[in-house]
Amino acid sequence: RQAGRHLPEYRKIRSKKKNFLDFCFDKKSIVEATLQPVRRYKIDCAIIFCDILIVPYILGQKISFVKGEGPLLEDLTLAKLISLKPLSEKKKDLQNTYNAIKDIRKKLNKNKSLIGFCGGPWTVACYMINGKGDTKFKAAIEKISKEKAHLIKFLDKLVDLSVTHLYQQYISGCDTLMIFESWAGLVPKKEFKDILIDPVNKIIGKLKS
């Protein structure tokens, strides 16, 4: 779906940056990484080179990408996560993504779709609560039964940030928007509506308005 580590041309430009976040917020790198697979495979769309974990970064939760371990996030309580507010200096980094989208749209054939995206609220919450990547996210699952009201409040916070991020991608040139709710399968069926469906519907509704 993105340039990916299998492309030698991607690995070449990735090696020029010390860490993944520097790469993620470098306008020139975003443009190149987004267009590389389109050039190589002649596919009919491009997907913006970004990451679903830019949300905790913007909120000021410390995050690093460690080789062989994946993302590592600062250990914060749910109450502390709810209290986080977007940092202006971090949002400036994200502006590079939106500026890159404008450049990509100019360079991309008008008949090819440009896809923007965000992580689903539950999936992003899993990483922010758990503090790292996992396949079970027990810490996040426990919040459903033990702190559900606070979890829903946190999901609403992520909804608002997701709407802003998707909207900025749209007005910058993306014509298709996707929500990746990668860890939906971990949620108990009886909680689907509150934890998965309602937050995503809120994103869609607010975007349309």
Side-chain angles (χ1 to χ4, degrees):
R1 62 182 174 87
Q2 291 173 291
R5 288 166 289 184
H6 75 288
L7 294 183
E9 57 267 41
Y10 168 81
R11 294 197 296 272
K12 183 177 180 180
I13 59 170
R14 173 67 183 88
S15 67
K16 296 177 182 179
K17 296 292 181 182
K18 290 184 178 180
N19 64 68
F20 184 69
L21 283 175
D22 285 347
F23 185 78
C24 240
F25 292 121
D26 179 71
K27 178 184 169 184
K28 188 176 179 180
S29 297
I30 296 168
V31 172
E32 180 61 18
T34 299
L35 293 175
Q36 281 178 348
V38 181
R39 295 192 197 110
R40 178 181 276 261
Y41 298 119
K42 310 299 182 186
I43 50 181
D44 59 4
C45 63
I47 184 164
I48 295 305
F49 188 86
C50 194
D51 195 272
I52 66 170
L53 295 183
I54 56 99
V55 168
Y57 173 82
I58 297 300
L59 286 171
Q61 184 179 21
K62 294 178 182 177
I63 177 172
S64 60
F65 290 82
V66 181
K67 190 174 182 179
E69 293 187 51
L72 297 178
L73 295 88
E74 181 182 7
D75 185 15
L76 298 174
T77 64
L78 186 53
K80 178 64 177 176
L81 290 172
I82 292 172
S83 71
L84 294 176
K85 295 181 180 179
L87 302 177
S88 56
E89 65 270 23
K90 303 290 187 181
K91 287 196 287 185
K92 289 179 182 177
D93 290 334
L94 192 54
Q95 188 60 46
N96 288 335
T97 297
Y98 307 139
N99 290 335
I101 290 172
K102 294 175 184 177
D103 284 0
I104 293 164
R105 186 65 274 177
K106 291 175 184 177
K107 295 181 179 183
L108 192 65
N109 187 300
K110 65 179 182 180
N111 294 320
K112 293 182 184 289
S113 181
L114 182 55
I115 303 173
F117 69 93
C118 73
W122 163 251
T123 291
V124 175
C126 280
Y127 287 99
M128 294 183 73
I129 293 169
N130 205 62
K132 62 180 181 179
D134 200 351
T135 57
K136 296 181 179 178
F137 289 100
K138 289 183 179 180
I141 291 293
E142 286 179 356
K143 302 299 181 188
I144 297 176
S145 57
K146 295 181 179 180
E147 296 183 70
K148 185 176 177 180
H150 285 94
L151 176 60
I152 289 176
K153 186 175 181 180
F154 182 47
L155 293 175
D156 282 339
K157 182 188 191 79
L158 297 179
V159 163
D160 291 337
L161 282 166
S162 300
V163 169
T164 300
H165 182 40
L166 288 172
Y167 179 67
Q168 288 299 322
Q169 292 179 76
Y170 169 70
I171 64 173
S172 296
C174 290
D175 51 74
T176 303
L177 300 172
M178 300 183 72
I179 303 170
F180 290 106
E181 194 65 282
S182 308
W183 297 108
L186 298 177
V187 178
K189 188 174 181 179
K190 65 179 181 179
E191 302 290 357
F192 270 21
K193 183 178 184 300
D194 292 343
I195 305 302
L196 296 173
I197 298 171
D198 285 352
V200 170
N201 277 339
K202 286 177 184 176
I203 291 176
I204 295 169
K206 289 186 177 187
L207 272 174
K208 284 183 176 180
S209 68

